[in-house]
Amino acid sequence: MSTNEERYLNLLSNTFPTVADAAAEIINLEAILNLPKGTEHFLADIHGEHEAFIHILKNASGNIKRKVGEIFGNTIRDSEKKELCTLIYYPEQKLELIRAVEQDIDDWYRITIHQLVKVCREMSSKYTRSKVRKSLPEEFSYIIEELLHERSDDQDKAAYVAVIVDTIITTGRADDFIIAICKVIHRLAIDQLHILGDIYDRGPGAHIILDTLRQYHSWDIQWGNHDVLWMGASAGNDACICNVLRLSLRYANLVTLEEGYGINLVPLATFALDTYGNDPCTEFIPILLKDSKIDEKNKQLIAKMHKAISIIQFKQEAAIFHRRKEWKMEDRCLLEHIDFEKGTCTIDGKSYPMNSCNFPTIDPADPSALTPEETLLMKKLHHSFRISEKLRKHIRTILSHGCMYNICNQNLLFHASIPLNADGTLKDVEIMGEKYAGRELMSFIGQLVRAAFQNDTPDETKQYAKDYFLYLWCGKDSPLFDKSKMATFERYFLSDKDTYKEDKGYYFLLRDSAEVCDRILDAFGIVGDNRHIINGHVPVHASKGENPIKAGGRLMVIDGGFSEAYHSETGIAGYTLVYHSRGFQLVQHEPFTSTRDAIERGKDIKSTTQIVEMSTHRMLVADTDKGAELREQIEDLKLLLYAYRHGIIKERRN
C-alpha cells in the first residue's frame, strides 16, 4: 500500500472509524445500487414563460397524472383524479376553493389524506428511506414516514393509521399536512432537473423562474444564447445591455426589467421622446401577444424607446467589432455602410433602399460614434444593470449551476451546437490566439465566461471575456449561435428579404447524420450503446411534420416553443423529455392557458407522450454515473476494511 493510499484511508477512517461502520456503509451502498434509477427531467428554451414552466415542474411533464391513473385505476372517477392532481399541483390555492364548497370537510380531509399517502408511497418506492427522510419537512417528518411505511389494509395497523389521520384533522393541521405531503410528491417525482438553456427573454417571468430554481432541490443548466446575453449585461458589456433592452421592448416585455430587476427605464423613455418624438418608428412597433393590455399611447412610446436603443446597440457593437478585428465581424458595422443622401445601405457590394432614414443621432462622418446624450444615457443604463442586486444574484446562480455543456448518464447536453466543418469534423475556433474544438472549445468558453466575473482575472483577459459575450450572442463560430450573421439591422430597415437570410452552421445541416453525432459523442468521451445528444435552441416545427428525434435516435431536440411568440410557428407549446428507469419519453405539450384555469377548472396542460427509447431491463442506480461513483466508494471502503483487519490502520473505538 502506497503512502498516498494510506494517507487517504486515514482520512476516510475519520468518517468510518470502525470495521462495523465501514461494513455497514458497504451494505448500504450495495443496496442503493440495486434501486431503480431516479427520474431525470429535461427542459429547454423556457423564455420567461414562468406559469407554464412552474406548472410543468409541478406535474412533472404528466408523470404525476400518470401515477395517479395507475394507482387508482377505476376505483375513483376521472373527475376525482383530476381534482386530486390539481390539489397536488397547487395545494394552497385548491384548498381555499374546496373549503368554500365542501359540506363535510373532515370527511374530505380523511379521504384525501389517505389518497395522497398512496401517491407519495408510490413516488418514494425507488428511493432509500434515508433519501426520502431528507426530503420530508421537519414538522411532519415523523408522521409522513410512519404513514408511508404502514399500510391501512394491514388489519393490525389499520387503527393506528386511522388515529394518526384523525389526529391530524382534530388538531387543525390537515391543511398544513396536505400542503406538506404535496410538496414531498413534487420533490420525489423528479430526481434531477436539466435546463438546456434560454431562461430569459420574450416572456415576462424569467426572474420568477430563477427564484423558483433557487429553491429547487437538484438542477443544472447548460447556458443558452439568451442567458449569456443577460450574463454579459450583468458583467457590464454595453452592447449586451442594449440587446437585452431591445429584445424586451420588441416584445413589450418590461416586467422582468422593471419589476424583476429594478432597471430604471425612465432615462431611456425621456431620451426617446426627445429624440424621436415626431418619428412614427413604424419598424419598431412592438410585437404584442394575445393577452397584452398595452394601449396605443404606450405602444408608441415603446416603439420610440425600441428605436433609440437599437441605434445605440449598433454603435456599441461596432465599437467591439472594430476592437476585436480577429473576429472578422466589421462587415456588421452597417451604420457605416449607409448612404444618407441616397437612403441606401450597401451589403456585400450591393445597395439596398432603406425603409426609413431618420437618424438624428448619427453623424455621417462617424456613424458609430455616440452623441453626448447617448453617452450619458448609456452610463445611466450601465449603472442600473450593475447595481441590480437581484440580477447579480440570479447570474451567480446560473454560473454556479451551469456551464456550456454537461455529460450525464451517457447523454451529452448543450443548448445549440458544436461548430463543425463541411465534412462533419470538429471545427477549430480561435479564441485569444489559440484554437479549440469540440469539448476543449466548450470547456474554454466556460472558463472565459467565469473569468468576466472573477476579481483576480487580469485586466486584459477580463476585458476580452466581457467583449466575448457579444460574440457568443451573434458570432459566426459561437456554439450558441452558429449562423453566418444576425440580420437584426436588415429586418428593421430593409424590405428585401434576401438580406434577412441567416445561413445555418454545419451542425444544423448535418445533425441528422448518425455518423456526425457519433463523432461528436466520441470527441466528448461518451461511450456505450445508449448514448445521446440532447439540445434545444431551434424550435421544432411539429405542425409541418418535423421530428424532434434525429440521427436514428442519437439526437433529441426538445425546443418545441415554450414561448407564446413561437406557438403559431411551431403548432405546439414545447417539448420536454423524461428519462426514467424504463427509458426515454418525449412529451409534446399544448399551450398552457393559465394558472387560474389550472386551479379553478382543473385544466392541466394537454400532453402527448411519445416513447423514444425503452430499456430491455429496468435501469438501476448501478447503470448510472452515480452508480459508478458508488462502486468507487465501495472499493475504497473495502480497502479500508483490509487496512483495519491487517493492522495497517487502527480502528478508532470510543
Side-chain angles (χ1 to χ4, degrees):
M1 185 175 292
S2 69
T3 304
N4 284 339
E5 283 178 322
E6 192 170 337
R7 186 181 297 119
Y8 169 69
L9 292 178
N10 269 305
L11 290 172
L12 191 60
S13 69
N14 290 326
T15 307
F16 305 101
T18 69
V19 167
D21 292 324
E25 183 65 5
I26 290 172
I27 294 167
N28 177 46
L29 296 180
E30 289 281 9
I32 292 172
L33 286 173
N34 288 281
L35 287 171
K37 78 173 285 295
T39 300
E40 297 172 71
H41 199 187
F42 301 79
L43 285 75
D45 300 87
I46 303 157
H47 284 304
E49 298 292 345
H50 62 287
E51 286 198 350
F53 168 76
I54 290 170
H55 187 81
I56 281 176
L57 279 194
K58 288 178 178 294
N59 78 356
S61 283
N63 194 36
I64 289 175
K65 184 178 180 181
R66 179 176 60 84
K67 286 286 187 185
V68 167
E70 290 175 358
I71 293 166
F72 296 103
N74 296 321
T75 61
I76 64 175
R77 292 175 293 180
D78 288 343
S79 59
E80 292 175 308
K81 289 181 222 173
K82 184 161 69 171
E83 286 285 296
L84 181 61
C85 287
T86 305
L87 176 67
I88 293 171
Y89 306 156
Y90 302 100
E92 295 97 333
Q93 300 94 323
K94 192 64 179 175
L95 279 166
E96 286 184 22
L97 297 177
I98 289 167
R99 282 198 306 271
V101 299
E102 183 59 54
Q103 295 180 349
D104 189 345
I105 192 67
D106 284 358
D107 187 54
W108 181 88
Y109 281 144
R110 197 171 289 107
I111 293 169
T112 302
I113 289 172
H114 281 293
Q115 289 175 336
L116 290 172
V117 168
K118 282 185 180 180
V119 177
C120 193
R121 185 182 295 129
E122 178 65 23
M123 289 294 185
S124 67
S125 63
K126 64 169 66 176
Y127 302 114
T128 63
R129 286 196 181 190
S130 173
K131 184 164 184 173
V132 172
R133 191 178 301 120
K134 290 174 184 175
S135 71
L136 302 180
E138 186 175 345
E139 61 177 332
F140 291 114
S141 178
Y142 171 76
I143 297 171
I144 294 176
E145 195 169 3
E146 285 294 293
L147 290 174
L148 289 182
H149 299 113
E150 300 295 350
R151 295 185 176 273
S152 58
D153 55 1
D154 181 345
Q155 294 300 315
D156 294 333
K157 292 293 181 106
Y160 173 70
V161 171
V163 167
I164 291 176
V165 173
D166 285 342
T167 307
I168 291 170
I169 297 167
T170 57
T171 55
R173 299 306 309 279
D175 283 5
D176 293 330
F177 180 83
I178 287 170
I179 291 167
I181 198 167
C182 287
K183 290 182 178 179
V184 173
I185 292 169
H186 296 163
R187 165 66 182 82
L188 298 176
I190 298 297
D191 194 42
Q192 179 73 20
L193 174 65
H194 305 288
I195 306 289
L196 276 72
D198 279 2
I199 289 172
Y200 283 99
D201 293 327
R202 296 194 176 91
H207 57 295
I208 298 172
I209 292 167
L210 277 157
D211 281 340
T212 302
L213 287 172
R214 281 171 58 82
Q215 303 301 317
Y216 202 74
H217 57 273
S218 184
W219 65 282
D220 55 72
I221 180 171
Q222 292 69 61
W223 305 324
N225 51 319
H226 289 266
D227 303 319
V228 299
L229 189 64
W230 281 77
M231 292 161 80
S234 179
N237 182 313
D238 286 342
C240 290
I241 289 173
C242 290
N243 269 286
V244 162
L245 291 168
R246 180 183 63 80
L247 285 168
S248 297
L249 291 161
R250 177 173 171 76
Y251 291 93
N253 168 29
L254 306 182
V255 175
T256 299
L257 285 168
E258 294 183 307
E259 297 179 18
Y261 295 129
I263 304 300
N264 183 8
L265 298 181
V266 173
L268 175 57
T270 304
F271 172 84
L273 285 172
D274 289 345
T275 308
Y276 300 99
N278 298 320
D279 187 338
C281 299
T282 306
E283 304 91 336
F284 295 90
I285 299 296
I287 297 170
L288 300 180
L289 302 180
K290 62 183 180 182
D291 294 328
S292 175
K293 295 180 176 61
I294 295 174
D295 59 27
E296 187 61 28
K297 183 179 179 181
N298 278 309
K299 187 166 74 170
Q300 290 298 323
L301 173 59
I302 289 172
K304 297 180 195 310
M305 295 167 69
H306 187 182
K307 181 170 183 177
I309 203 64
S310 297
I311 299 303
I312 298 173
Q313 173 193 313
F314 298 139
K315 293 181 177 185
Q316 295 283 14
E317 289 177 344
I320 296 177
F321 294 154
H322 286 313
R323 182 161 66 241
R324 303 299 176 191
K325 296 183 184 296
E326 67 272 23
W327 294 356
K328 300 177 182 178
M329 293 185 70
E330 289 178 282
D331 62 327
R332 299 307 301 157
C333 303
L334 292 180
L335 296 182
E336 300 167 16
H337 294 253
I338 298 174
D339 186 319
F340 292 91
E341 291 184 2
K342 295 180 180 178
T344 61
C345 183
T346 302
I347 299 175
D348 296 330
K350 184 177 178 180
S351 291
Y352 297 90
M354 298 187 61
N355 298 327
S356 65
C357 210
N358 180 29
F359 300 119
T361 67
I362 294 180
D363 177 1
D366 190 4
S368 296
L370 295 176
T371 66
E373 294 79 10
E374 287 174 325
T375 300
L376 179 60
L377 172 61
M378 279 311 304
K379 284 183 178 178
K380 291 178 180 178
L381 292 171
H382 181 101
H383 177 71
S384 195
F385 272 85
R386 293 288 283 163
I387 66 167
S388 174
E389 176 57 31
K390 189 163 187 177
L391 177 59
R392 188 158 58 244
K393 184 187 297 181
H394 283 175
I395 296 305
R396 282 200 301 265
T397 298
I398 289 174
L399 285 165
S400 65
H401 282 78
C403 204
M404 289 293 292
Y405 75 96
N406 187 20
I407 298 171
C408 184
N409 296 329
Q410 295 182 297
N411 298 312
L412 172 60
L413 318 180
F414 54 84
H415 175 65
S417 83
I418 302 295
L420 301 176
N421 297 308
D423 62 357
T425 56
L426 298 175
K427 185 175 186 177
D428 286 326
V429 177
E430 186 173 322
I431 308 175
M432 299 181 72
E434 299 291 333
K435 291 184 177 180
Y436 305 89
R439 187 171 189 168
E440 291 73 24
L441 171 66
M442 301 291 266
S443 296
F444 185 77
I445 290 174
Q447 295 171 26
L448 191 60
V449 165
R450 285 186 165 83
F453 297 95
Q454 293 170 354
N455 294 328
D456 59 351
T457 302
D459 290 344
E460 185 178 346
T461 302
K462 194 165 192 172
Q463 184 58 56
Y464 188 94
K466 287 183 180 180
D467 287 351
Y468 200 72
F469 284 111
L470 179 61
Y471 190 87
L472 286 172
W473 169 245
C474 63
K476 181 180 179 181
D477 290 328
S478 163
L480 299 179
F481 183 64
D482 202 4
K483 294 181 184 177
S484 58
K485 67 178 182 181
M486 185 176 285
T488 306
F489 178 93
E490 292 90 331
R491 292 177 189 275
Y492 284 135
F493 293 114
L494 306 181
S495 57
D496 191 329
K497 293 188 177 181
D498 286 345
T499 64
Y500 303 176
K501 189 176 181 183
E502 300 171 346
D503 294 324
K504 293 180 179 178
Y506 288 112
Y507 173 81
F508 299 111
L509 301 178
L510 300 173
R511 62 182 180 169
D512 211 13
S513 164
E515 181 183 351
V516 168
C517 289
D518 281 337
R519 186 179 292 127
I520 293 171
L521 289 162
D522 288 343
F524 280 80
I526 303 170
V527 297
D529 296 330
N530 298 308
R531 57 185 187 167
H532 310 89
I533 295 171
I534 306 173
N535 65 255
H537 185 61
V538 179
V540 177
H541 295 80
S543 59
K544 297 179 182 177
E546 184 179 356
N547 192 341
I549 310 301
K550 302 179 183 299
R554 287 171 178 79
L555 172 64
M556 296 177 238
V557 182
I558 62 169
D559 176 11
F562 253 89
S563 173
E564 185 182 330
Y566 286 141
H567 292 176
S568 59
E569 180 183 346
T570 62
I572 59 170
Y575 287 104
T576 56
L577 188 68
V578 177
Y579 182 29
H580 49 65
S581 60
R582 301 195 184 279
F584 283 98
Q585 289 182 321
L586 186 73
V587 186
Q588 177 181 305
H589 302 285
E590 298 299 318
F592 181 59
T593 53
S594 70
T595 301
R596 181 176 178 178
D597 274 351
I599 295 165
E600 294 181 357
R601 300 177 181 86
K603 292 190 73 171
D604 206 341
I605 292 180
K606 185 179 179 182
S607 304
T608 306
T609 301
Q610 175 183 344
I611 305 299
V612 177
E613 182 178 288
M614 298 306 285
S615 176
T616 54
H617 69 284
R618 191 172 194 190
M619 285 175 283
L620 307 176
V621 172
D623 301 313
T624 67
D625 294 342
K626 183 65 177 177
E629 292 177 20
L630 295 181
R631 281 193 291 271
E632 288 182 2
Q633 292 175 29
I634 289 168
E635 291 305 311
D636 290 343
L637 288 165
K638 287 180 177 178
L639 195 58
L640 180 61
L641 280 181
Y642 177 89
Y644 281 148
R645 286 167 174 162
H646 289 78
I648 300 170
I649 294 175
K650 290 184 171 59
E651 293 183 75
R652 303 183 182 194
R653 297 182 182 278
N654 291 332

